[in-house]
């Protein structure tokens, strides 16, 4: 079970707090570009703000994802770690904080499988006793200089008059070190170019043999993909379903849609057709992944004209449901087939 340090307090300020996660990926070798692409694709199912940190880490800005998942920042990090383990067998340790530097430092302080959370109000208390070498940019030579003058902890750096620190390190280095010692880092998480696809995945609580549960899982993922496409004002012309089994093998099938769409019922029809074609009656399924490919702006969509008034009503109801989910959360409205 993952551990957590820090107190899950909520800041009283009205300023929107950032929540940055840094995940160390425990692998025998550095990730290749292709492997990084797979990891970033997986993490983009949680937040579009994902940045690779070579040779073996990723950072996620979770700020905008919290409302969608209706989870605490810590729980969203656990969701990300669970997906890495379940889908790729990757163990990770994590740090969670208000900026990139602190998140990386927290991850460095975490044992494999653990998560260290530094709530904003506890940043100074967490930093103060840590060694100066924990700060990024403090190499061997600088550490020796600081140690010779009795400066061993980050707190001692913050307590030191700026003029004294500048005499030891020079103006530029001293200012930068002082900013880092106070936990300041304005850098944003910079994602790669927007992907030409979106993914939604579901890791089942236990290996599942039940076809009815398989059906519900795929239907729910199609609904989620449709919502994300509409939220991004995009349409997809191809859908791919991947099923991962208990023995870590997988099967993938793809289908080109009759016309590009972000309409959840159309996506569900295609996804369930792919599922039916796999014949999983006796398969022990661990996870499902749906991927929407060949994305285009929704205003470039063409849609076959329909004389069925039910089609227009369905799309109007879908738009109303999207508005309700944005206001009240993703579980505010669900298809009847997914109701408990």
């Amino acid at each position: 079970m993952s551990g957590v340090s820090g107190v899950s307090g909520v800041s009283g300020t009205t300023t929107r707090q950032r929540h940055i996660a840094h995940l160390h990926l425990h692998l025998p070798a550095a990730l290749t570009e292709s492997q990084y692409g797979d990891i970033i694709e997986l993490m983009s199912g949680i937040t579009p703000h994902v940045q690779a940190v070579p040779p073996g880490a990723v950072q996620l800005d979770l700020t905008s994802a919290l409302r969608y998942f209706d989870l605490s920042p810590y729980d969203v990090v656990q969701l990300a770690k669970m997906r890495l383990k379940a889908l790729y067998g990757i163990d990770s340790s994590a740090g969670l904080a208000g900026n990139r530097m602190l998140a990386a430092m927290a991850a460095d302080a975490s044992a494999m499988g653990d998560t260290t959370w530094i709530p904003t109000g506890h940043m100074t208390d967490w930093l103060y006793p840590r060694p100066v070498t924990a700060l990024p940019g403090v190499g061997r030579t600088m550490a020796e200089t600081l140690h010779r003058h009795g400066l061993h902890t980050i707190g001692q750096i913050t307590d030191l008059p700026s003029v004294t620190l500048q005499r030891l390190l020079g103006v530029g280095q001293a200012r930068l070190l002082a900013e880092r010692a106070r936990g300041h880092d304005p850098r944003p998480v910079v994602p790669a170019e927007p992907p030409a696809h979106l993914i939604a995945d579901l890791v089942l609580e236990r290996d599942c043999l039940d076809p009815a549960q398989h059906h519900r899982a795929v239907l729910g993922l199609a609904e989620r993909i449709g919502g994300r496409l509409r939220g991004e004002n995009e349409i997809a012309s191809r859908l791919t379903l991947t099923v991962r089994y208990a023995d870590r093998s997988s099967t993938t099938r793809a289908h080109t849609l009759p016309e590009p769409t972000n309409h959840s019922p159309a996506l569900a029809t295609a996804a369930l057709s792919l599922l039916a074609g796999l014949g999983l009656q006796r398969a022990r399924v661990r996870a499902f992944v749906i991927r929407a490919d060949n994305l285009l702006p929704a205003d470039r969509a063409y849609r076959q004209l329909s004389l069925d008034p039910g089609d227009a009503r369905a799309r109007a109801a879908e738009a109303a449901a999207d508005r309700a989910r944005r206001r009240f959360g993703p579980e505010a409205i669900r298809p009847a087939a997914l109701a408990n």
Side-chain angles (χ1 to χ4, degrees):
M1 178 179 294
S2 295
V4 58
S5 66
V7 180
S8 56
V10 178
S11 173
T13 178
T14 57
T15 303
R16 191 183 191 192
Q17 298 295 335
R18 294 168 66 199
H19 298 281
I20 310 298
H22 184 106
L23 275 64
H24 279 316
L25 310 176
H26 294 274
L27 296 167
L31 289 169
T32 66
E33 184 175 346
S34 175
Q35 289 171 323
Y36 252 130
D38 290 340
I39 298 302
I40 290 175
E41 178 181 332
L42 177 65
M43 294 295 98
S44 69
I46 295 175
T47 172
H49 305 289
V50 184
Q51 181 172 344
V53 184
V58 291
Q59 288 190 336
L60 293 74
D61 189 334
L62 304 176
T63 308
S64 61
L66 300 181
R67 184 173 180 181
Y68 178 83
F69 286 101
D70 194 25
L71 295 171
S72 72
Y74 176 79
D75 287 335
V76 176
V77 173
Q78 304 321 297
L79 175 64
K81 291 166 64 178
M82 180 187 71
R83 291 184 177 185
L84 283 168
K85 180 64 174 178
L87 296 177
Y88 291 109
I90 297 176
D91 291 306
S92 59
S93 53
L96 176 62
N99 63 51
R100 293 183 57 190
M101 181 193 76
L102 288 172
M105 292 176 65
D108 288 340
S110 301
M112 186 170 69
D114 287 353
T115 297
T116 299
W117 184 6
I118 312 173
T120 302
H122 298 263
M123 176 185 69
T124 301
D125 292 340
W126 189 84
L127 280 173
Y128 204 92
R130 303 197 65 76
V132 292
T133 51
L135 288 172
V138 178
R140 184 175 181 178
T141 301
M142 183 182 291
E144 290 175 350
T145 299
L146 295 171
H147 291 166
R148 281 200 305 271
H149 293 83
L151 301 171
H152 300 279
T153 68
I154 294 173
Q156 289 172 325
I157 298 295
T158 60
D159 290 342
L160 195 68
S162 58
V163 174
T164 303
L165 190 60
Q166 289 173 15
R167 281 202 299 266
L168 296 179
L169 303 178
V171 174
Q173 291 278 41
R175 286 178 178 173
L176 182 58
L177 183 63
E179 284 293 300
R180 291 176 176 172
R182 291 177 173 84
H184 297 165
D185 181 9
R187 297 174 300 157
V189 173
V190 181
E193 288 297 315
H197 56 263
L198 288 175
I199 65 168
D201 60 82
L202 176 65
V203 180
L204 303 176
E205 292 184 2
R206 58 183 62 86
D207 300 339
C208 180
L209 285 161
D210 184 2
Q213 292 298 318
H214 299 166
H215 184 282
R216 283 170 54 85
V218 171
L219 182 61
L221 289 177
E223 182 74 20
R224 196 196 311 172
I225 278 285
R228 289 190 61 199
L229 285 168
R230 294 189 297 276
E232 298 289 337
N233 197 35
E234 292 179 320
I235 54 174
S237 57
R238 183 178 173 85
L239 209 64
T240 300
L241 172 66
T242 298
V243 181
R244 303 189 189 278
Y245 305 107
D247 63 359
R248 297 195 182 278
S249 64
S250 64
T251 305
T252 298
R253 295 288 186 272
H255 175 71
T256 299
L257 301 169
E259 61 185 29
T261 186
N262 56 20
H263 189 36
S264 290
L267 296 169
T269 297
L272 292 172
S273 175
L274 291 170
L275 177 67
L278 291 176
L280 300 180
Q281 287 80 3
R282 300 183 61 82
R284 299 178 65 84
V285 176
R286 174 70 57 81
F288 292 97
V289 182
I290 287 183
R291 171 171 163 159
D293 288 300
N294 301 340
L295 304 188
L296 295 169
D299 56 13
R300 293 176 57 183
Y302 59 88
R303 181 157 61 90
Q304 183 175 345
L305 295 176
S306 173
L307 299 178
D308 179 7
D311 181 68
R313 286 197 296 268
R315 291 177 184 271
E318 185 174 65
D322 286 342
R323 290 193 295 271
R325 293 188 188 103
R326 285 194 294 270
R327 183 173 181 181
F328 300 110
E331 299 300 317
I333 296 179
R334 305 179 70 195
L338 296 177
N340 293 329

